[in-house]
Amino acid sequence: MERVITYGTFDLLHYGHINLLRRAKEQGDYLIVALSADEFNWNEKQKKTYFPFEKRKQLLEAIRYVDLVIPENNWEQKTTDVKEYHVDKLVMGDDWAGKFDFVEEETGAEVIYLPRTPEISTTQIKKDLNSKE
């Protein structure tokens, strides 16, 4: 069984997220999503989410492509997660291209950067909503 892992905040879940999860699942048999914890989003990414961790986790667990949701608490845990969950492939959006190549070097897991869905992003949704106020 090939295991795949991806990481993200997945706030204001939209069809771009679904596309990424579907294509990540196509890379293997079992998809793990490491969901950024609220504290990690705020302290490390300077992002405030609309939905708290538990609500975002519930949404992800309801998606048929997702087999397991775990918390992401720090940048460094990728290598640990790959080893702990016996992951074969790390999948990220191509906006992160090259940033996680070290995981392949340290663990042997293949790192794949998938193209984002170009016309949609949570950042753009938030900008559009704010401009309508």
Side-chain angles (χ1 to χ4, degrees):
M1 175 168 59
E2 283 218 304
R3 291 172 172 254
V4 179
I5 193 166
T6 193
Y7 291 77
T9 301
F10 298 99
D11 195 28
L12 300 179
L13 196 66
H14 53 71
Y15 66 89
H17 291 132
I18 302 301
N19 284 340
L20 176 70
L21 295 169
R22 177 185 47 78
R23 290 180 297 148
K25 179 66 175 234
E26 288 170 355
Q27 299 296 318
D29 307 300
Y30 189 87
L31 178 60
I32 302 165
V33 177
L35 177 63
S36 300
D38 296 332
E39 299 79 16
F40 177 57
N41 274 322
W42 182 248
N43 295 334
E44 297 298 324
K45 299 180 179 181
Q46 285 70 54
K47 281 186 180 179
K48 179 162 178 28
T49 58
Y50 185 82
F51 292 110
F53 176 85
E54 285 302 322
K55 296 293 183 194
R56 292 181 288 122
K57 183 175 187 269
Q58 281 181 329
L59 288 168
L60 286 170
E61 288 173 337
I63 297 169
R64 67 179 172 178
Y65 308 116
V66 177
D67 295 296
L68 177 66
V69 178
I70 62 171
E72 178 188 23
N73 296 306
N74 60 68
W75 294 110
E76 297 77 27
Q77 83 180 62
K78 287 175 180 60
T79 302
T80 307
D81 289 344
V82 166
K83 291 176 182 174
E84 181 178 340
Y85 292 95
H86 309 286
V87 169
D88 302 291
K89 298 175 182 177
L90 165 63
V91 173
M92 297 296 291
D94 63 1
D95 53 327
W96 292 99
K99 298 268 191 321
F100 300 111
D101 292 352
F102 70 91
V103 173
E104 190 165 338
E105 295 163 16
E106 293 178 14
T107 67
E110 181 180 1
V111 178
I112 301 167
Y113 300 101
L114 296 175
R116 293 174 59 96
T117 304
E119 70 278 4
I120 186 76
S121 74
T122 301
T123 302
Q124 189 60 50
I125 291 170
K126 287 179 179 179
K127 282 180 187 175
D128 290 350
L129 289 173
N130 286 332
S131 71
K132 292 178 182 179
E133 291 178 358

